[in-house]
Amino acid sequence: MAAVCIASRVLTKKVLSSKALPAVSQSSRKLHFSIYGKSNAKVSDGISTQYPVVDHEFDAVVVGAGGAGLRAAFGLSEAGFNTACVTKLFPTRSHTVAAQGGINAALGNMENDDWRWHFYDTVKGSDWLGDQDAIHYMTEQAPHAVVELENFGMPFSRTDDGKIYQRAFGGQSLKYGKGGQAHRCCCVADRTGHSLLHTLYGRSLRYDTSYFVEYFALDLLMEDGEMGPSTASGPRTQSSPLLWLTYSGSCTSAHTSTGDGNAMVTRAGLPCQDLEFVQFHPTGIYGAGCLITEGCRGEGGILINSEGERFMERYAPNAKDLASRDVVSRSITIEIREGRGCGPEKDHAYLQLHHLPPQQLATRLPGISETAMIFAGVDVTKEPIPVLPTVHYNMGGIPTNYKGQVITHTPEEGDKVVPGLFACGEAACASVHGANRLGANSLLDLVVFGRACAHTITDICTPGEKLSPLKPNAGEESVANLDRLRFANGSLRTSEIRLNMQKTMQNHAAVFRTGKVLKEGCDKMDAVYQTLDDIKTFDRGIVWNTDLVETLELQNLMLNAVQTINSAEQRQESRGAHSREDFKDREDEYDYTKPLAGQQRKPIEQHWRKHTLSTVDPKTGKVTLKYRPVIDNSLDAEDCAAVPPAIRSY
Amino acid sequence: MSLLRVCAFTSKRLNTQLLFVDLSFAGCLRTASGAAKDKEPLRKAKTPQGRFDMDDEKPKDPLQKFPDDVNPATKEQGGPRGPEPTRYGDWERKGRCVDF
């Protein structure tokens, strides 16, 4: 069955956002590929006769069509660039659609507000690991971005006099933390992300962006350290809804969020930043990937272990089940580690609500019985809900500056821009979230930096600029990898290797992190990484080969996972979402619990207020870690003073 | 039934004929359902899957829409239905936490 697969090389400047996507394959028809009648695609046999390569030329390519990708794509099209958007899912199916929360902006509709207060809140929320120039940019642009979205047609909820309604959420305060709660969160009924995505997609159809839907981006092609073309290909596929395509055992991301952007950048030899900062929620439904609200515990729900004991009384005698999220997450993890987990594999805890009167549940938490039935299959008035700490967001990603340009770092030269490559969205790390993301800030991150990338590209480049010609064999490693995986005949299936990786990560790099556990995890992950050589795939076909695409995604997940666990093992402090039992304090250049006068400033090698930059050798799985200082100055010291580090307490 | 469909596809001129066919078929259906009423409807297991298949047990949406879509307490128009999503410090909807 000599089927033919088309690999497309899409030539131009790349914008990486969200995650990458799969491509259409052809049967053995006469090959031609034209988009909107523009036949600028050239087919070549340069790499392999089995896989003819189709070259497309565009001014700009956006990989990923989530909130950030769509915003960047049509921003570029609007500016006159011939833009392509490569996406492995249909744009309105990207994970942004699941973001039901709101979007923060200092519009000042409910009370007097100032973006500089939002700036302060975000810097503090990031535990002083966020780059203050990027945070300054984001919070200053927030009102413009939200008003722009509203002008695009996003139906925000309104006050009586027609202004956008804002509510209190996500650690926002007035007057630099001294003026009480701020109301900054704008929303669209209960589906802000869904509405955002549909608004942006609808808007993007006004411009002639070429969409390559269900194309899987394989690799970035770098030439002499500069961003050359990128290669996208692969048979069309759909991720199976029954499988967990994530590197944690339990997480809320879609099955298609597989860290493709980070992995492509890693394979290109560039570093990823701060991957150890992963945000957990203590009560995610076991096996389902959605979170149960803290309100359940607030209304009287209790957490129990396999012995039926209310174990929170031991860990937090006063607050009990209402202790803070990280305490609860750690307690559940410790119970599971010590063998008192529930279920056949003893790997989760129970959240009991059936001791509460059903009327109270129905009035205070409407909809919870439906949620519990759909996701956990339990009747909440009779049985407890199985829960365990679940990954919700990854603060780390591809390092960029505040303009969205991807950067590398050397101690001699400092931050250096990688020409031609930009990143935005959850895949990037600007870094505005630092060590901990505040609620309702991530949707803001998407639109502001998607827009920033589009503006930067418009400033730097001109549409129709001629590119240097591509080497005829560029992309051959990607095609070779594809071919190797397609005919892989080892002994372990993709699903088995993935399960091993997820279990290792959930057991060793979850909420409970100590040196010993992390070191064990690093060694186990290394072993799991080596088993990738022994992988076995079953589907040799070229059309709708889900096996092949899942294997490609597994490779991407592995690269992310090894970086996460190695970075976590090295970072010997507790900051934001990364908390270690053996190093419970934050280690900064000064000890901020005491007055600064008379303290010696520690050199960067001796403290931890710095970004981790991790690189991986894809052949061996060996992780190398370097560090980069945090940017502590805002864009304009007079307009907005930078916030000096302090102890983070609320 | 299939005869009915074929009629529908053929031509508009057959409309009047269609009506006759309709009436006669309706008559057939009534007698047919009369016979079926004697038998017990097939029961499905009380599994979650089975439950959702039965229309009469379909639960009403627990979150009621506000009159005119205006929240009476906060005067918010077009806002989230049901109780305030941020009342527990995270963004809650139907017991699920979607942001925190």
Side-chain angles (χ1 to χ4, degrees):
Chain A
M1 255 205 317
V4 165
C5 164
I6 290 191
S8 294
R9 284 189 303 205
V10 198
L11 302 157
T12 170
K13 295 155 197 54
K14 287 270 327 286
V15 177
L16 272 178
S17 51
S18 312
K19 322 297 172 185
L21 330 125
V24 172
S25 71
Q26 295 274 38
S27 59
S28 45
R29 290 189 294 201
K30 194 158 178 331
L31 295 172
H32 75 98
F33 206 115
S34 74
I35 301 175
Y36 302 132
K38 291 182 259 183
S39 50
N40 56 358
K42 297 183 259 306
V43 186
S44 80
D45 270 353
I47 292 183
S48 137
T49 45
Q50 270 290 82
Y51 301 96
V53 170
V54 183
D55 288 333
H56 302 267
E57 255 192 62
F58 287 96
D59 291 328
V61 173
V62 177
V63 175
L70 284 181
R71 183 66 191 81
F74 80 71
L76 290 168
S77 296
E78 202 178 7
F81 287 86
N82 188 8
T83 315
C85 186
V86 177
T87 160
K88 77 175 171 187
L89 301 167
F90 191 78
T92 52
R93 301 274 184 265
S94 305
H95 193 46
T96 310
V97 81
Q100 290 182 7
I103 180 170
N104 277 337
L107 295 165
N109 288 343
M110 309 300 281
E111 70 240 324
N112 211 10
D113 203 355
D114 189 346
W115 63 263
R116 295 168 189 81
W117 302 338
H118 185 191
F119 167 80
Y120 170 81
D121 292 325
T122 308
V123 171
K124 180 175 172 190
S126 76
D127 220 349
W128 279 278
L129 200 69
D131 292 328
Q132 295 201 24
D133 60 346
I135 299 179
H136 172 159
Y137 183 79
M138 183 180 84
T139 49
E140 190 181 8
Q141 295 295 316
H144 303 296
V146 169
V147 170
E148 193 184 49
L149 283 174
E150 197 272 329
N151 290 342
F152 289 156
M154 195 161 152
F156 285 105
S157 62
R158 305 279 171 171
T159 59
D160 244 350
D161 28 326
K163 295 203 200 144
I164 295 178
Y165 183 89
Q166 297 182 284
R167 48 176 31 85
F169 185 58
Q172 304 293 322
S173 65
L174 298 167
K175 299 206 183 78
Y176 306 104
K178 303 188 191 70
Q181 179 74 41
H183 295 74
R184 269 184 209 129
C185 182
C186 317
C187 74
V188 176
D190 19 59
R191 47 175 204 282
T192 312
H194 175 268
S195 174
L196 172 72
L197 207 55
H198 281 259
T199 307
L200 290 177
Y201 181 62
R203 186 80 189 176
S204 74
L205 295 175
R206 281 176 167 238
Y207 309 100
D208 60 348
T209 314
S210 311
Y211 279 100
F212 287 77
V213 177
E214 297 197 348
Y215 272 70
F216 193 100
L218 291 178
D219 270 309
L220 304 174
L221 303 172
M222 308 283 288
E223 290 190 8
D224 306 320
E226 276 203 12
M227 189 50 243
S230 71
T231 183
S233 100
R236 187 169 6 146
T237 179
Q238 193 78 39
S239 299
S240 162
L242 295 173
L243 306 170
W244 278 109
L245 294 178
T246 57
Y247 67 80
S248 157
S250 171
C251 83
T252 58
S253 313
H255 301 108
T256 45
S257 298
T258 48
D260 300 327
N262 294 347
M264 282 164 63
V265 153
T266 305
R267 279 195 290 267
L270 298 170
C272 284
Q273 180 171 275
D274 294 341
L275 282 177
E276 67 269 35
F277 292 101
V278 174
Q279 203 171 33
F280 282 88
H281 189 275
T283 50
I285 298 187
Y286 176 68
C290 69
L291 306 171
I292 291 281
T293 176
E294 285 162 40
C296 290
R297 290 175 280 130
E299 289 297 333
I302 58 178
L303 288 163
I304 52 178
N305 60 16
S306 58
E307 291 163 16
E309 182 205 352
R310 185 181 179 179
F311 58 85
M312 284 309 301
E313 283 178 344
R314 276 188 281 123
Y315 297 94
N318 294 328
K320 298 190 219 199
D321 295 274
L322 295 175
S324 67
R325 280 196 288 271
D326 46 342
V327 174
V328 178
S329 302
R330 267 205 289 290
S331 314
I332 300 180
T333 312
I334 295 177
E335 288 293 304
I336 294 173
R337 281 189 76 81
E338 292 183 357
R340 292 187 288 278
C342 311
E345 293 192 30
K346 297 191 180 305
D347 54 359
H348 56 269
Y350 279 141
L351 176 62
Q352 183 180 294
L353 290 167
H354 55 77
H355 59 284
L356 301 169
Q359 283 299 84
Q360 190 186 340
L361 271 184
T363 36
R364 301 279 183 82
L365 292 164
I368 190 164
S369 41
E370 194 183 74
T371 302
M373 180 52 74
I374 295 175
F375 291 101
V378 301
D379 182 350
V380 83
T381 51
K382 298 200 183 75
E383 303 155 283
I385 307 174
V387 294
L388 89 162
T390 297
V391 173
H392 183 68
Y393 187 85
N394 192 314
M395 268 71 74
I398 307 167
T400 70
N401 58 18
Y402 75 94
K403 295 191 206 147
Q405 297 169 304
V406 172
I407 52 178
T408 50
H409 178 85
T410 48
E412 307 82 43
E413 295 171 47
D415 288 339
K416 203 159 94 85
V417 167
V418 175
L421 187 59
F422 300 78
C424 53
E426 194 174 339
C429 181
S431 149
V432 285
H433 305 302
N436 186 46
R437 177 192 68 98
L438 290 181
N441 263 357
S442 70
L443 283 174
L444 180 61
D445 178 12
L446 301 186
V447 282
V448 169
F449 288 101
R451 196 160 148 266
C453 284
H455 287 175
T456 313
I457 297 177
T458 314
D459 290 335
I460 298 181
C461 320
T462 45
E465 229 178 284
K466 265 290 156 219
L467 299 161
S468 47
L470 178 60
K471 278 208 278 270
N473 65 342
E476 60 184 359
E477 296 96 23
S478 318
V479 178
N481 186 36
L482 186 77
D483 188 57
R484 187 178 66 89
L485 290 178
R486 191 174 144 219
F487 294 107
N489 208 6
S491 55
L492 290 169
R493 302 163 172 235
T494 309
S495 51
E496 287 166 3
I497 302 182
R498 188 172 52 228
L499 192 61
N500 289 342
M501 175 187 71
Q502 287 171 346
K503 286 204 165 130
T504 310
M505 291 303 284
Q506 186 77 19
N507 289 334
H508 297 273
V511 183
F512 184 77
R513 295 177 173 183
T514 61
K516 185 161 152 294
V517 167
L518 288 168
K519 190 87 195 68
E520 243 176 68
C522 288
D523 296 330
K524 279 197 185 155
M525 267 316 297
D526 193 42
V528 177
Y529 192 93
Q530 305 306 327
T531 61
L532 269 183
D533 293 329
D534 200 19
I535 201 163
K536 184 177 174 56
T537 48
F538 293 87
D539 193 346
R540 304 281 177 244
I542 215 70
V543 178
W544 207 272
N545 190 341
T546 53
D547 206 357
L548 178 59
V549 174
E550 278 169 20
T551 313
L552 289 167
E553 286 172 340
L554 178 62
Q555 285 187 326
N556 295 342
L557 286 171
M558 281 289 205
L559 286 172
N560 280 285
V562 293
Q563 289 183 67
T564 299
I565 199 164
N566 279 281
S567 312
E569 197 255 326
Q570 284 297 312
R571 183 172 280 269
Q572 293 175 340
E573 64 153 0
S574 288
R575 183 183 296 266
H578 171 71
S579 60
R580 283 184 61 156
E581 297 297 305
D582 43 354
F583 295 95
K584 286 192 192 260
D585 301 313
R586 221 175 67 179
E587 289 231 10
D588 304 310
E589 64 276 26
Y590 293 113
D591 184 352
Y592 289 101
T593 54
K594 306 191 183 90
L596 293 182
Q599 285 197 42
Q600 273 277 34
R601 194 200 169 97
K602 290 193 207 153
I604 193 169
E605 299 81 35
Q606 290 179 21
H607 70 89
W608 286 100
R609 202 166 74 83
K610 52 195 182 187
H611 293 296
T612 315
L613 289 176
S614 46
T615 43
V616 188
D617 176 2
K619 292 188 196 53
T620 57
K622 182 157 168 358
V623 178
T624 320
L625 297 173
K626 291 201 186 59
Y627 295 91
R628 171 184 163 244
V630 176
I631 298 179
D632 281 322
N633 47 290
S634 65
L635 289 175
D636 185 341
E638 283 172 21
D639 192 19
C640 169
V643 183
I647 290 300
R648 177 171 169 248
S649 64
Y650 286 102
Chain B
M1 272 311 213
S2 50
L3 184 57
L4 200 66
R5 279 195 200 118
V6 166
C7 288
F9 283 136
T10 41
S11 164
K12 281 190 189 154
R13 281 175 293 140
L14 291 171
N15 258 345
T16 41
Q17 281 159 322
L18 203 67
L19 279 169
F20 286 129
V21 172
D22 195 358
L23 286 170
S24 61
F25 261 82
C28 292
L29 282 170
R30 262 176 278 156
T31 45
S33 62
K37 266 189 196 132
D38 299 332
K39 277 197 237 159
E40 286 287 342
L42 282 171
R43 278 214 191 109
K44 290 218 171 147
K46 293 265 180 199
T47 57
Q49 215 172 5
R51 262 188 69 197
F52 289 122
D53 274 345
M54 287 191 272
D55 275 337
D56 47 319
E57 274 205 42
K58 197 169 178 161
K60 282 199 319 224
D61 196 342
L63 298 180
Q64 300 297 332
K65 220 169 139 112
F66 293 118
D68 281 337
D69 214 12
V70 179
N71 184 326
T74 57
K75 306 280 182 292
E76 180 185 5
Q77 294 173 14
R81 292 173 294 161
E84 170 61 37
T86 56
R87 63 196 188 284
Y88 295 115
D90 55 8
W91 193 289
E92 175 269 342
R93 187 172 185 259
K94 291 194 178 177
R96 284 174 68 173
C97 165
V98 283
D99 201 2
F100 59 92

